[in-house]
Amino acid sequence: MQGQDMTVASAIAEASTRPVVSANARRLAQNAIIDTLACMVAGRTDQSTCSVRDAFARPGSGGEALLVTGGKSSPMLAGLINGTAAHALDYDDNFLPGMSHASAVLVPAILALADLEKTSGSQLIDAFLAGLQAQAHVGDGVGQAHYTAGWHGTSTIGSIGTAVATAHILGLSVEATARALTIAVSFASGTKGQFGTLIKPFHAGMAARNAVEAALLARAGMQARHDILEGEQGFRELFAGDPQINWQTQDILAPTAHIIETAGVMPKRHPCCGSTHMIIDALLDLADKHNFGADDVKTVDTLVGIANYRNLAYPAPVDQMQARFSMQYCVARTLRQGYLGLSDFTPAAVRSFVGDDLLDTVTMRSYSLEEECAAAEKLPHVVTITLRDGRVLQGGRQFAVGTNRQPFSDSDRLRKFRDCCDGVEGVDEIYGHLQKLDTAGNLKIVQSLFV
């Protein structure tokens, strides 16, 4: 079947699993996988990860899939725990086409089904690229209104698109891959109302587990409705929010550059909600240009998108989870020291900063719905700083550091890897081996990170 005769799921399965030979695309995928592995290590002792482990991982239960928290378990549980760890500190990448933390779902899910002794690095990259493209296609059919309405794309779109990746790592046919995708639609859930709580990173783990289960069910012959994405009472009808948005199968099937080369995934420079990042980067741009410090600042006004405003619900955070979703905390802390690091988001760090006067100088507002609808492209996030000497400085950004438009440098990536893997023996040597992932005959190097 071709074009209009195909279901959307079949078109996504066919388009997403085409071989990707672009050296640039494969390099970008390798970077994303390495970044996510580091985030998994950094998040393995977080309370959210430990809660999932303590709830489900029976000591000595064994299994074939490696846990970042130690030991082995079933592939489903490995996806759940490792996915939670990947997203626990909100340091993992963003993916705008899927409105998701794409890699935090993809990497744990495909690793859970990989044989570390036999699966090659190139197979891991192939599966990652297949799932990322699928997440983009799924996101296209529901649009930004899906995210603005309050759905957490990481666990809705992430569950569905990642099923293509897990099917790929299992070597399933295109037809079985399409079935895995349709099965995963029944798992789609997760609301942004949970942002700032421990259950939010669990959404990534839940999505990884969902994708593992969907692929295994498809391999075992489970059936689901073929047109569940576009059909009546299906995913688009229930989740899109905008009845005019839909998929066109001929567009999905059209040969184009891989999404990782066009939109790209966005690794995080700062270990907090991505909705703060353009403001923080614009603030650092201004500080570098105008040479002012925290004590020079009278007020800071921030202007962001509606969805970003709704994400940042904690002007006066009381713990580290809320602090990651607080524009006031992230801006004030950046002003004090010129950067944000993992050590700024611990219970002790947040408690010690509660009384800082800078928190009260930071305000946040959003564009109106009319302004966003009328805009031809994404509106910039704008920071306006009034200094005590009377100067008013303003800066804006339409993208954060880490995007394809301003990518991380080699030193940026290594510095973040070291920060996340602090305490891991031989971290630089491991990083060097991971740089050759696409030519590695197996994935045993991952075990060095997980012990």
Side-chain angles (χ1 to χ4, degrees), residues 219-253:
R219 187 174 67 175
M222 178 62 74
Q223 300 284 335
R225 191 171 130 192
H226 300 310
D227 66 344
I228 195 61
L229 286 172
E230 71 272 30
E232 280 189 30
Q233 299 186 81
F235 185 68
R236 188 204 63 81
E237 184 176 301
L238 296 176
F239 286 78
D242 184 345
Q244 302 197 18
I245 293 175
N246 208 335
W247 293 275
Q248 299 297 326
T249 53
Q250 64 269 28
D251 293 339
I252 295 171
L253 293 168

Side-chain angles (χ1 to χ4, degrees), residues 81-223:
I81 292 175
N82 294 346
T84 302
H87 193 40
L89 304 181
D90 233 291
Y91 212 3
D92 51 301
D93 63 36
N94 284 313
F95 182 55
L96 291 182
M99 294 159 275
S100 62
H101 293 272
S103 300
V105 183
L106 283 163
V107 175
I110 54 182
L111 275 178
L113 292 170
D115 183 331
L116 301 189
E117 300 285 336
K118 298 178 181 178
T119 303
S120 69
S122 64
Q123 288 175 299
L124 192 76
I125 289 173
D126 288 340
F128 177 91
L129 288 168
L132 189 72
Q133 188 66 65
Q135 284 199 31
H137 286 315
V138 175
D140 284 344
V142 291
Q144 184 64 36
H146 173 77
Y147 188 79
T148 302
W151 291 109
H152 190 190
T154 300
S155 49
T156 53
I157 293 166
S159 292
I160 301 168
T162 304
V164 171
T166 48
H168 196 283
I169 204 73
L170 289 176
L172 303 188
S173 67
V174 172
E175 185 275 331
T177 299
R179 282 193 286 112
L181 193 155
T182 61
I183 291 166
V185 172
S186 288
F187 293 130
S189 63
T191 64
K192 292 198 299 171
Q194 299 284 20
F195 283 16
T197 73
L198 291 175
I199 205 69
K200 196 255 189 178
F202 176 81
H203 286 180
M206 177 176 67
R209 179 198 63 194
N210 292 345
V212 169
E213 291 186 353
L216 291 173
L217 284 166
R219 187 174 67 175
M222 178 62 74
Q223 300 284 335

Side-chain angles (χ1 to χ4, degrees), residues 340-351:
L340 288 173
L342 288 172
S343 61
D344 296 316
F345 296 91
T346 65
V350 176
R351 284 196 301 270

Side-chain angles (χ1 to χ4, degrees), residues 104-412:
V105 183
L106 283 163
V107 175
I110 54 182
L111 275 178
L113 292 170
D115 183 331
L116 301 189
E117 300 285 336
K118 298 178 181 178
T119 303
S120 69
S122 64
Q123 288 175 299
L124 192 76
I125 289 173
D126 288 340
F128 177 91
L129 288 168
L132 189 72
Q133 188 66 65
Q135 284 199 31
H137 286 315
V138 175
D140 284 344
V142 291
Q144 184 64 36
H146 173 77
Y147 188 79
T148 302
W151 291 109
H152 190 190
T154 300
S155 49
T156 53
I157 293 166
S159 292
I160 301 168
T162 304
V164 171
T166 48
H168 196 283
I169 204 73
L170 289 176
L172 303 188
S173 67
V174 172
E175 185 275 331
T177 299
R179 282 193 286 112
L181 193 155
T182 61
I183 291 166
V185 172
S186 288
F187 293 130
S189 63
T191 64
K192 292 198 299 171
Q194 299 284 20
F195 283 16
T197 73
L198 291 175
I199 205 69
K200 196 255 189 178
F202 176 81
H203 286 180
M206 177 176 67
R209 179 198 63 194
N210 292 345
V212 169
E213 291 186 353
L216 291 173
L217 284 166
R219 187 174 67 175
M222 178 62 74
Q223 300 284 335
R225 191 171 130 192
H226 300 310
D227 66 344
I228 195 61
L229 286 172
E230 71 272 30
E232 280 189 30
Q233 299 186 81
F235 185 68
R236 188 204 63 81
E237 184 176 301
L238 296 176
F239 286 78
D242 184 345
Q244 302 197 18
I245 293 175
N246 208 335
W247 293 275
Q248 299 297 326
T249 53
Q250 64 269 28
D251 293 339
I252 295 171
L253 293 168
T256 58
H258 194 279
I259 197 69
I260 204 168
E261 293 188 279
T262 54
V265 295
M266 300 181 294
K268 284 188 172 184
R269 187 185 187 188
H270 319 291
C272 51
C273 179
S275 292
T276 67
H277 285 211
M278 284 189 280
I279 291 293
I280 295 170
D281 288 342
L283 173 66
L284 292 172
D285 292 340
L286 289 174
D288 184 59
K289 182 178 180 179
H290 297 282
N291 193 31
F292 62 86
D295 293 336
D296 301 315
V297 173
K298 183 178 180 181
T299 61
V300 181
D301 175 73
T302 64
L303 174 63
V304 300
I306 296 171
N308 307 102
Y309 181 89
R310 295 177 70 184
N311 288 347
L312 303 172
Y314 302 96
V318 299
D319 58 37
Q320 72 274 24
M321 292 302 296
Q322 291 186 7
R324 294 185 184 108
F325 293 86
S326 170
M327 180 68 83
Q328 288 76 9
Y329 182 88
C330 293
V331 166
R333 194 100 194 188
T334 302
L335 281 169
R336 281 291 178 213
Q337 59 194 32
Y339 65 91
L340 288 173
L342 288 172
S343 61
D344 296 316
F345 296 91
T346 65
V350 176
R351 284 196 301 270
S352 69
F353 204 71
V354 166
D356 196 295
D357 293 340
L358 272 178
L359 286 165
D360 294 329
T361 70
V362 182
T363 56
M364 180 177 62
R365 55 197 175 92
S366 75
Y367 290 104
S368 68
L369 181 60
E370 292 73 22
E371 287 174 313
E372 289 197 349
C373 290
E377 58 183 8
K378 184 177 179 179
L379 294 166
H381 288 193
V382 179
V383 60
T384 304
I385 300 172
T386 302
L387 300 178
R388 296 189 184 279
D389 63 9
R391 285 182 295 163
V392 177
L393 310 175
Q394 189 172 86
R397 272 183 171 263
Q398 288 183 299
F399 59 91
V401 175
T403 63
N404 284 1
R405 295 172 68 178
Q406 189 178 348
F408 276 10
S409 65
D410 291 343
S411 60
D412 287 331

Side-chain angles (χ1 to χ4, degrees), residues 33-45:
I33 291 169
I34 295 170
D35 183 81
T36 307
L37 288 171
C39 291
M40 289 166 66
V41 173
R44 62 184 169 187
T45 60

